[in-house]
PDB file of all heavy atoms in Angstrom:
ATOM      1  N   GLU A 561      34.379  11.276 -26.291  1.00 96.00           N
ATOM      2  CA  GLU A 561      35.312  12.385 -26.667  1.00 96.00           C
ATOM      3  C   GLU A 561      35.432  13.305 -25.637  1.00 96.00           C
ATOM      4  O   GLU A 561      34.415  13.976 -25.169  1.00 96.00           O
ATOM      5  CB  GLU A 561      34.871  12.900 -28.016  1.00 96.00           C
ATOM      6  CG  GLU A 561      36.030  13.810 -28.511  1.00 96.00           C
ATOM      7  CD  GLU A 561      35.721  14.243 -29.868  1.00 96.00           C
ATOM      8  OE1 GLU A 561      34.637  14.210 -30.443  1.00 96.00           O
ATOM      9  OE2 GLU A 561      36.769  14.824 -30.596  1.00 96.00           O
ATOM     10  N   TRP A 562      36.615  13.580 -25.151  1.00 96.00           N
ATOM     11  CA  TRP A 562      36.673  14.595 -24.032  1.00 96.00           C
ATOM     12  C   TRP A 562      37.543  15.676 -24.506  1.00 96.00           C
ATOM     13  O   TRP A 562      38.255  15.641 -25.508  1.00 96.00           O
ATOM     14  CB  TRP A 562      37.290  13.834 -22.717  1.00 96.00           C
ATOM     15  CG  TRP A 562      38.742  13.713 -22.907  1.00 96.00           C
ATOM     16  CD1 TRP A 562      39.236  12.420 -23.480  1.00 96.00           C
ATOM     17  CD2 TRP A 562      39.825  14.309 -22.436  1.00 96.00           C
ATOM     18  NE1 TRP A 562      40.601  12.439 -23.391  1.00 96.00           N
ATOM     19  CE2 TRP A 562      41.022  13.603 -22.698  1.00 96.00           C
ATOM     20  CE3 TRP A 562      39.991  15.645 -21.791  1.00 96.00           C
ATOM     21  CZ2 TRP A 562      42.377  14.133 -22.468  1.00 96.00           C
ATOM     22  CZ3 TRP A 562      41.251  16.039 -21.555  1.00 96.00           C
ATOM     23  CH2 TRP A 562      42.382  15.277 -21.914  1.00 96.00           C
ATOM     24  N   GLY A 563      37.571  16.815 -23.694  1.00 96.00           N
ATOM     25  CA  GLY A 563      38.392  17.938 -24.150  1.00 96.00           C
ATOM     26  C   GLY A 563      38.127  19.176 -23.200  1.00 96.00           C
ATOM     27  O   GLY A 563      37.762  18.938 -22.071  1.00 96.00           O
ATOM     28  N   LEU A 564      38.267  20.294 -23.833  1.00 97.00           N
ATOM     29  CA  LEU A 564      37.962  21.477 -22.893  1.00 97.00           C
ATOM     30  C   LEU A 564      36.810  22.278 -23.388  1.00 97.00           C
ATOM     31  O   LEU A 564      36.565  22.400 -24.583  1.00 97.00           O
ATOM     32  CB  LEU A 564      39.253  22.417 -23.169  1.00 97.00           C
ATOM     33  CG  LEU A 564      40.481  21.816 -22.636  1.00 97.00           C
ATOM     34  CD1 LEU A 564      41.783  22.804 -22.976  1.00 97.00           C
ATOM     35  CD2 LEU A 564      40.496  21.419 -21.092  1.00 97.00           C
ATOM     36  N   VAL A 565      35.933  22.477 -22.657  1.00 96.00           N
ATOM     37  CA  VAL A 565      34.631  23.250 -22.780  1.00 96.00           C
ATOM     38  C   VAL A 565      35.017  24.643 -22.677  1.00 96.00           C
ATOM     39  O   VAL A 565      35.512  25.035 -21.692  1.00 96.00           O
ATOM     40  CB  VAL A 565      33.435  22.909 -21.884  1.00 96.00           C
ATOM     41  CG1 VAL A 565      32.291  23.618 -22.152  1.00 96.00           C
ATOM     42  CG2 VAL A 565      33.320  21.356 -21.963  1.00 96.00           C
ATOM     43  N   VAL A 566      34.747  25.401 -23.860  1.00 97.00           N
ATOM     44  CA  VAL A 566      35.210  26.910 -23.902  1.00 97.00           C
ATOM     45  C   VAL A 566      33.942  27.718 -24.168  1.00 97.00           C
ATOM     46  O   VAL A 566      33.015  27.123 -24.697  1.00 97.00           O
ATOM     47  CB  VAL A 566      36.368  27.209 -24.753  1.00 97.00           C
ATOM     48  CG1 VAL A 566      37.664  26.307 -24.286  1.00 97.00           C
ATOM     49  CG2 VAL A 566      36.021  26.575 -26.234  1.00 97.00           C
ATOM     50  N   PRO A 567      34.007  28.928 -23.990  1.00 96.00           N
ATOM     51  CA  PRO A 567      32.910  29.849 -24.544  1.00 96.00           C
ATOM     52  C   PRO A 567      32.700  29.639 -25.961  1.00 96.00           C
ATOM     53  O   PRO A 567      33.684  29.336 -26.671  1.00 96.00           O
ATOM     54  CB  PRO A 567      33.303  31.275 -24.072  1.00 96.00           C
ATOM     55  CG  PRO A 567      34.309  31.145 -23.059  1.00 96.00           C
ATOM     56  CD  PRO A 567      35.057  29.823 -23.214  1.00 96.00           C
ATOM     57  N   ALA A 568      31.444  29.915 -26.496  1.00 95.00           N
ATOM     58  CA  ALA A 568      31.092  29.683 -27.964  1.00 95.00           C
ATOM     59  C   ALA A 568      32.079  30.626 -28.771  1.00 95.00           C
ATOM     60  O   ALA A 568      32.416  31.805 -28.348  1.00 95.00           O
ATOM     61  CB  ALA A 568      29.702  30.176 -28.025  1.00 95.00           C
ATOM     62  N   GLY A 569      32.584  30.049 -29.791  1.00 95.00           N
ATOM     63  CA  GLY A 569      33.562  30.736 -30.606  1.00 95.00           C
ATOM     64  C   GLY A 569      34.942  30.657 -30.158  1.00 95.00           C
ATOM     65  O   GLY A 569      35.848  31.207 -30.829  1.00 95.00           O
ATOM     66  N   ASN A 570      35.253  30.076 -28.990  1.00 96.00           N
ATOM     67  CA  ASN A 570      36.557  29.842 -28.512  1.00 96.00           C
ATOM     68  C   ASN A 570      37.416  31.168 -28.519  1.00 96.00           C
ATOM     69  O   ASN A 570      38.375  31.383 -29.210  1.00 96.00           O
ATOM     70  CB  ASN A 570      37.279  28.820 -29.204  1.00 96.00           C
ATOM     71  CG  ASN A 570      38.571  28.355 -28.551  1.00 96.00           C
ATOM     72  OD1 ASN A 570      38.787  28.689 -27.385  1.00 96.00           O
ATOM     73  ND2 ASN A 570      39.411  27.534 -29.244  1.00 96.00           N
ATOM     74  N   PRO A 571      36.803  32.187 -27.738  1.00 95.00           N
ATOM     75  CA  PRO A 571      37.473  33.540 -27.884  1.00 95.00           C
ATOM     76  C   PRO A 571      38.941  33.515 -27.539  1.00 95.00           C
ATOM     77  O   PRO A 571      39.724  34.440 -28.014  1.00 95.00           O
ATOM     78  CB  PRO A 571      36.588  34.361 -26.904  1.00 95.00           C
ATOM     79  CG  PRO A 571      35.935  33.379 -25.996  1.00 95.00           C
ATOM     80  CD  PRO A 571      35.767  32.181 -26.833  1.00 95.00           C
ATOM     81  N   ASP A 572      39.449  32.666 -26.590  1.00 95.00           N
ATOM     82  CA  ASP A 572      40.781  32.803 -26.247  1.00 95.00           C
ATOM     83  C   ASP A 572      41.635  31.863 -27.125  1.00 95.00           C
ATOM     84  O   ASP A 572      42.964  31.832 -26.999  1.00 95.00           O
ATOM     85  CB  ASP A 572      40.876  32.073 -24.891  1.00 95.00           C
ATOM     86  CG  ASP A 572      40.389  33.105 -23.850  1.00 95.00           C
ATOM     87  OD1 ASP A 572      40.606  34.354 -23.797  1.00 95.00           O
ATOM     88  OD2 ASP A 572      39.449  32.650 -23.061  1.00 95.00           O
ATOM     89  N   GLY A 573      41.023  31.255 -28.242  1.00 95.00           N
ATOM     90  CA  GLY A 573      41.795  30.526 -29.249  1.00 95.00           C
ATOM     91  C   GLY A 573      42.519  29.260 -28.647  1.00 95.00           C
ATOM     92  O   GLY A 573      43.654  28.948 -29.046  1.00 95.00           O
ATOM     93  N   ILE A 574      41.882  28.696 -27.723  1.00 96.00           N
ATOM     94  CA  ILE A 574      42.481  27.546 -26.947  1.00 96.00           C
ATOM     95  C   ILE A 574      42.570  26.391 -27.912  1.00 96.00           C
ATOM     96  O   ILE A 574      41.682  26.168 -28.617  1.00 96.00           O
ATOM     97  CB  ILE A 574      41.703  27.137 -25.714  1.00 96.00           C
ATOM     98  CG1 ILE A 574      41.800  28.429 -24.768  1.00 96.00           C
ATOM     99  CG2 ILE A 574      42.284  25.949 -25.002  1.00 96.00           C
ATOM    100  CD1 ILE A 574      40.766  28.223 -23.585  1.00 96.00           C
TER     101      ILE A 574
END
Side-chain angles (χ1 to χ4, degrees):
Chain A
E561 190 174 11
W562 72 277
L564 302 177
V565 178
V566 296
N570 193 6
D572 296 306
I574 298 171

